[in-house]
């Protein structure tokens, strides 16, 4: 498969992911806004911080390294060994869920049962839901490796929507169930997610069209189960060693990703109510990152991993592939920078209004607006880091991944210390400031790797981080105009003034996007040719 074809598949995966996730996220956004009006801050804090941390930590430690290692291999591999390796995530997940569940029940502060009932049941069911989700890991990796364009997005979005509907129904009709509601909804979510993959592959491999799918390494659903391979080796030991390297890195990356939740959970720097407000703002602030940046990062990580040979100098690889990778990286950096700057500039003036519409006075008063404004800056760093790391981790050799682990260790330690100190000094905003600091260090590390990777080639993909002075001036002017508009029109002047404030923002946004369209012609060409052109080959497989 040529680099252009792989690029086309990755672009289709990203663009379809964007469109479908926007649609499904809007539905869940409305449902969640409805649910928030029936909950206390304490329940939100326990569910969204304490129990979700148990679930995400179990999944991350059990599968993240396996995903990265198994998606990095080329097309010539024994998929039976890869699938066997992936099935090891299930017993690993059982171990982590039991171990972490014991910590959550025995070592951490237990919420007041009169305020947050059924905490122990919540811990058990959230841990169980993580194990259930791991049952679908071989299906997920196979779908990602062969770029099944819409399957992942539809399965995850459908599961989230059904979970939100079930949660809204139970909150409305059985509010006294407490954590039973969210625990059952979480278990329902993971069950539906796994069933979507199992049902899809069962129908696909059992249909007459399956004989035409020559690229698939399996011919029937039982081939996805653990089996003894022809050469006698149960797993591919090269992939297993790479998995161990990624596991060490994943453990540290999890601390960086969920660091503020670990500090809140283990050091008790915020009460459950403040934790709830922070997490709601954090989820709202990261909504665009999940909608736009995550599908792009996941899709183009696969592209870079397939086009480039891991650990091999750019001058020693096929120059056509190296050139395509450089052009794509430059365009992705430019896209991430523009999207991040737009969110930062306009998010500052519209944070309070967004929180008031989403959750009412519980969010728009107090520290909520300051938190969301700070998070808008963090989103800019998230956007750039997602693109730089997806290239870096796809191109690094095993030895370079191991060396990077030491950097991650230092970052993890500094993040925990910095989070604790900044939170004591300036409250929950300290978490975001600590995240910004560490994200800046991670971006610097990735930029240095990219510079070294291309320094002996004629390609300069880091040029994607340069913007024209005219566009930068437009951003600055828009930020000033919307800030003045907020002072005079929002948010205590009633809905006519709010609508006028929104109109001012819409005009400034239109002017900014128009300027970007005229000045960033290279990026526009990339978007038109790779993300905007419908293809007859778009399908589920």
């Amino acid at each position: 498969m040529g680099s252009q074809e792989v690029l086309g598949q990755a672009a289709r995966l990203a663009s379809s992911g964007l469109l479908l996730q926007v649609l499904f996220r809007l539905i869940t956004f409305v449902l969640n806004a409805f649910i928030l009006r029936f909950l206390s801050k304490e329940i939100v804090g326990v569910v969204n911080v304490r129990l979700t941390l148990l679930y995400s930590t179990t999944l991350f430690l059990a599968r993240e390294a396996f995903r990265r290692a198994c998606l990095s291999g080329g097309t010539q591999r024994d998929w039976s060994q890869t699938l066997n390796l992936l099935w090891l995530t299930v017993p690993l997940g059982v171990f982590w869920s039991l171990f972490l569940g014991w910590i959550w029940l025995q070592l951490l502060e237990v919420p007041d049962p009169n305020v947050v009932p059924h905490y122990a049941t919540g811990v058990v069911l959230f841990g169980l839901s993580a194990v259930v989700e791991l049952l679908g890991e071989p299906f997920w990796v196979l779908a990602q490796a062969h770029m099944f364009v819409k399957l992942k997005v539809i399965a995850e979005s459908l599961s989230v929507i059904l979970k939100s509907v079930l949660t809204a129904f139970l909150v409305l009709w059985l509010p006294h169930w407490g954590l039973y509601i969210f625990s059952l909804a979480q278990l329902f979510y993971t069950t539906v997610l796994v069933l979507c993959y199992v049902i899809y592959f069962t129908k696909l491999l059992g249909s007459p069209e399956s004989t035409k799918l020559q690229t698939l390494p399996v011919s029937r659903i039982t081939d996805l189960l653990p089996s003894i391979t022809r050469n006698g080796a149960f797993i591919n030991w090269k992939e297993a060693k790479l998995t161990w390297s990624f596991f060490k890195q994943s453990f540290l990356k999890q601390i960086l990703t969920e660091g503020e939740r670990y500090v809140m959970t283990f050091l008790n720097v915020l009460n459950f109510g403040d934790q709830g407000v922070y997490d709601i703002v954090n989820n709202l602030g990261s909504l665009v990152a999940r909608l736009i940046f995550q599908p792009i990062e996941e899709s183009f990580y696969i592209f870079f991993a397939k086009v480039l040979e891991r650990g091999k100098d750019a001058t020693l690889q096929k120059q056509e592939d190296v050139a395509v990778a450089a052009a794509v990286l430059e365009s992705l950096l430019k896209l991430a920078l523009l999207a991040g700057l737009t969110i930062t500039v306009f998010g500052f003036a519209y944070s309070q209004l967004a929180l008031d519409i989403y959750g009412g006075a519980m969010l728009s008063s107090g520290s909520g607006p300051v938190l969301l404004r700070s998070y808008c800056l963090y989103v800019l760093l998230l956007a750039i880091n997602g693109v730089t790391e997806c290239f870096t981790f796809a191109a690094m050799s095993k030895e370079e991944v191991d060396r990077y682990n030491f950097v991650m260790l230092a970052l993890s330690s500094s993040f925990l210390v910095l989070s604790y100190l900044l939170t004591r000094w300036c409250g929950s905003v300290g978490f975001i400031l600590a995240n910004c600091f560490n994200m800046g260090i991670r971006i610097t590390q990735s930029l240095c790797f990219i510079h070294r990777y291309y320094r002996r080639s004629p390609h300069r993909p880091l040029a994607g981080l340069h913007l024209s002075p005219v566009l930068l001036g437009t951003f600055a002017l828009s930020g000033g105009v919307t800030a003045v508009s907020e002072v005079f029109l929002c948010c205590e002047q009633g809905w006519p003034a709010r609508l006028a404030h929104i109109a001012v923002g819409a005009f400034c946004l239109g002017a900014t996007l128009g300027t970007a369209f005229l000045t960033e012609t290279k990026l526009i060409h990339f978007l038109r040719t790779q993300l905007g052109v419908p293809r007859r080959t778009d399908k589920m497989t």
Side-chain angles (χ1 to χ4, degrees):
M1 184 181 295
S3 58
Q4 291 291 345
E5 186 177 352
V6 175
L7 172 59
Q9 289 185 341
R12 292 196 296 275
L13 179 60
S15 59
S16 64
L18 290 176
L19 295 175
L20 289 173
Q21 285 204 41
V22 167
L23 173 62
F24 290 128
R25 288 289 181 181
L26 285 176
I27 298 174
T28 55
F29 180 85
V30 174
L31 289 172
N32 289 335
F34 169 79
I35 293 170
L36 282 177
R37 285 162 170 77
F38 295 89
L39 300 175
S40 67
K41 293 187 293 185
E42 288 73 18
I43 287 184
V44 173
V46 171
V47 172
N48 288 4
V49 177
R50 178 72 66 84
L51 296 181
T52 301
L53 182 64
L54 169 64
Y55 165 78
S56 64
T57 302
T58 301
L59 285 180
F60 204 96
L61 293 176
R63 77 183 183 188
E64 178 69 13
F66 290 86
R67 283 187 169 185
R68 288 199 173 272
C70 294
L71 287 174
S72 298
T75 56
Q76 301 299 323
R77 69 162 88 178
D78 188 338
W79 267 96
S80 297
Q81 293 178 332
T82 300
L83 294 172
N84 288 342
L85 183 64
L86 289 168
W87 278 110
L88 295 180
T89 60
V90 177
L92 193 60
V94 172
F95 166 77
W96 283 116
S97 64
L98 292 175
F99 177 70
L100 295 174
W102 176 79
I103 294 177
W104 258 240
L105 291 173
Q106 300 298 324
L107 301 183
L108 299 181
E109 176 191 359
V110 176
D112 184 351
N114 295 320
V115 179
V116 183
H118 315 301
Y119 171 72
T121 302
V123 170
V124 172
L125 291 182
F126 267 77
L128 177 61
S129 66
V131 176
V132 170
E133 184 166 340
L134 290 171
L135 294 173
E137 197 61 17
F139 302 89
W140 186 93
V141 170
L142 185 64
Q144 285 292 100
H146 290 82
M147 295 188 176
F148 284 21
V149 177
K150 299 177 184 177
L151 173 59
K152 174 181 177 290
V153 176
I154 291 178
E156 292 184 357
S157 302
L158 179 63
S159 303
V160 170
I161 290 176
L162 292 178
K163 171 190 172 182
S164 299
V165 170
L166 177 62
T167 303
F169 175 81
L170 293 177
V171 165
L172 187 62
W173 294 102
L174 298 168
H176 60 281
W177 276 21
L179 293 185
Y180 280 151
I181 296 173
F182 301 94
S183 303
L184 292 174
Q186 184 67 26
L187 186 59
F188 177 71
Y189 159 79
T190 56
T191 302
V192 172
L193 181 63
V194 172
L195 285 177
C196 285
Y197 281 94
V198 173
I199 292 173
Y200 176 79
F201 275 103
T202 301
K203 289 188 175 181
L204 175 66
L205 297 175
S207 66
E209 295 182 359
S210 63
T211 57
K212 301 177 183 179
L213 301 175
Q214 302 294 332
T215 58
L216 283 180
V218 294
S219 57
R220 55 185 184 274
I221 194 66
T222 55
D223 292 340
L224 288 164
L225 299 176
S227 60
I228 302 298
T229 59
R230 301 184 194 93
N231 59 15
F234 186 72
I235 60 175
N236 184 325
W237 287 104
K238 183 179 179 181
E239 286 182 340
K241 291 178 181 178
L242 185 60
T243 299
W244 174 242
S245 296
F246 277 125
F247 175 78
K248 292 181 287 185
Q249 175 188 313
S250 298
F251 184 82
L252 301 173
K253 185 179 178 181
Q254 175 68 0
I255 297 177
L256 293 176
T257 304
E258 301 280 10
E260 66 271 16
R261 287 188 170 92
Y262 288 115
V263 173
M264 283 188 281
T265 298
F266 289 95
L267 299 180
N268 297 321
V269 293
L270 300 176
N271 59 45
F272 287 118
D274 290 340
Q275 289 180 24
V277 173
Y278 173 82
D279 191 76
I280 294 171
V281 173
N282 180 59
N283 288 334
L284 186 61
S286 63
L287 181 64
V288 175
R290 295 195 304 270
L291 286 177
I292 300 177
F293 306 138
Q294 186 176 356
I296 290 175
E297 179 182 352
E298 291 178 349
S299 302
F300 283 95
Y301 171 78
I302 299 173
F303 163 73
F304 290 129
K306 285 180 175 291
V307 169
L308 301 175
E309 295 185 48
R310 179 179 294 278
K312 197 172 182 180
D313 189 86
T315 57
L316 303 177
Q317 300 191 44
K318 187 177 179 181
Q319 290 307 297
E320 179 187 354
D321 292 344
V322 172
V324 170
V328 171
L329 179 58
E330 180 181 349
S331 296
L332 291 179
L333 285 172
K334 184 82 71 176
L335 178 63
L337 180 60
L338 286 176
L341 273 177
T342 302
I343 294 167
T344 301
V345 170
F346 290 92
F348 184 87
Y350 291 89
S351 293
Q352 185 175 356
L353 179 60
L355 290 176
D356 191 66
I357 295 173
Y358 185 65
M362 181 181 79
L363 297 181
S364 60
S365 60
S367 62
V370 177
L371 280 172
L372 189 54
R373 289 187 181 107
S374 303
Y375 204 95
C376 289
L377 174 61
Y378 179 52
V379 168
L380 170 61
L381 300 178
L382 271 177
I384 298 174
N385 181 72
V387 173
T388 55
E389 282 198 347
C390 88
F391 177 88
T392 300
F393 291 144
M396 273 184 172
S397 66
K398 177 184 177 299
E399 292 73 21
E400 288 172 321
V401 172
D402 288 335
R403 287 196 297 269
Y404 192 77
N405 289 335
F406 290 101
V407 178
M408 297 288 277
L409 177 61
L411 286 175
S412 301
S413 302
S414 64
F415 174 78
L416 295 177
V417 174
L418 196 61
S419 294
Y420 180 78
L421 295 176
L422 289 176
T423 306
R424 291 292 187 186
W425 175 48
C426 55
S428 51
V429 176
F431 286 123
I432 301 177
L433 297 179
N435 271 314
C436 289
F437 173 79
N438 281 277
M439 196 61 65
I441 299 297
R442 288 169 64 179
I443 291 172
T444 303
Q445 292 290 324
S446 296
L447 292 180
C448 290
F449 174 84
I450 295 171
H451 174 72
R452 290 195 305 269
Y453 190 85
Y454 279 106
R455 64 184 172 183
R456 286 188 286 181
S457 75
H459 311 293
R460 297 292 179 266
L462 294 183
L465 295 176
H466 300 157
L467 295 179
S468 69
V470 174
L471 183 55
L472 288 174
T474 305
F475 271 117
L477 181 62
S478 296
V481 171
T482 53
V484 172
S485 174
E486 183 185 31
V487 172
F488 290 100
L489 299 176
C490 188
C491 288
E492 307 297 333
Q493 310 298 325
W495 271 105
R498 292 183 176 189
L499 293 175
H501 180 47
I502 293 173
V504 171
F507 175 80
C508 291
L509 179 61
T512 303
L513 295 179
T515 305
F517 183 85
L518 295 175
T519 58
E520 302 298 337
T521 55
K522 192 173 182 179
L523 174 63
I524 299 302
H525 175 75
F526 173 79
L527 295 176
R528 280 178 170 174
T529 55
Q530 299 302 331
L531 302 181
V533 180
R535 291 170 169 84
R536 295 180 181 180
T537 57
D538 282 0
K539 53 186 178 181
M540 289 282 285
T541 59

